[in-house]
Amino acid sequence: MFKSVLALIPSERPVRPVVDGSVVLAMACHAHVNALAIGYETTNIPLAAIAGPATAMIFQENRIRAIERGETAMSVFELEAKEAGISYNCRTISAIPAEAISIAGAVARLHELTIALQPEFECHTFDNYLSTEILFQAGGPVLFMPYTFRGAFAARRVGVCWDGSRLASRALQDAMPLLRKADALTIITITNSSSIPAEATPERLVQHLARVGLPAKIVSFPAGHSEIQPTILSVAADQSLDLLVMGGYGHSRLQERILGGVTRDMLRCMTVPTLMSH
């Protein structure tokens, strides 16, 4: 199981989904959680103020307020972690957004799993930018918790989105610690997709999983590109899935932004916790 988990505690958005998800996962895996909360220092300081005699005081007050926001968010995690009796560390820092992304990405590379809040593309906060970027920076799997998530996280029924691609395989391997503890596995795939290699079909995947003691069933559906994400969520609801596993951003972010993409659609509308690998 995962033994080293990074929890990115939001300082400007709901903290509870990440707090609950990380604490419950740590209890199930006997994992150590490093919690990181970043208070964001604003870069929108008027030029006249910067050039004035009180420049140092303005920057100091900005930094203090940022730290206070981070500490307020972290206090929620620390209280729950202490009550749960898990192994944990807390770190609160202040940084401008660009530095925050760099710091969080570097920290994530030392952990087996990063837990972050689902980004909300219409919400212009620095926390949102961090959630959007961490998948590219972490170098490992990121478990996104929906910002509407409530209750305890338990990956008993898991859906694996499979198209035979490198990213799908990466996500599958990254999620193995959770798959081995699941009660039921569902392979979600598109019927007769011409992009799935003959050597990596869903049927071959099921055979492979069976050999390692992980029985799985296949749920396939016909869908055009624009229908993939809503259909995946429909399958998740029909199968009462607790977790989805999928590769993230098979196309460039520019293509996803302009043409649309399954990853971006999923991040926008996810209804269950989703583990992604890039």
Side-chain angles (χ1 to χ4, degrees), residues 28-43:
C29 300
H30 303 289
H32 178 85
V33 178
N34 280 320
L36 174 64
I38 303 175
Y40 302 96
E41 299 175 23
T42 181
T43 56

Side-chain angles (χ1 to χ4, degrees), residues 43-58:
T43 56
N44 296 324
I45 297 176
L47 184 61
I50 294 176
T55 300
M57 183 179 297
I58 291 170

Side-chain angles (χ1 to χ4, degrees), residues 14 58 86 128 140 170 194 212 248 257:
I58 291 170
I86 65 170
N128 192 55
R170 170 70 186 275
S194 59
V212 296
R257 189 175 298 116

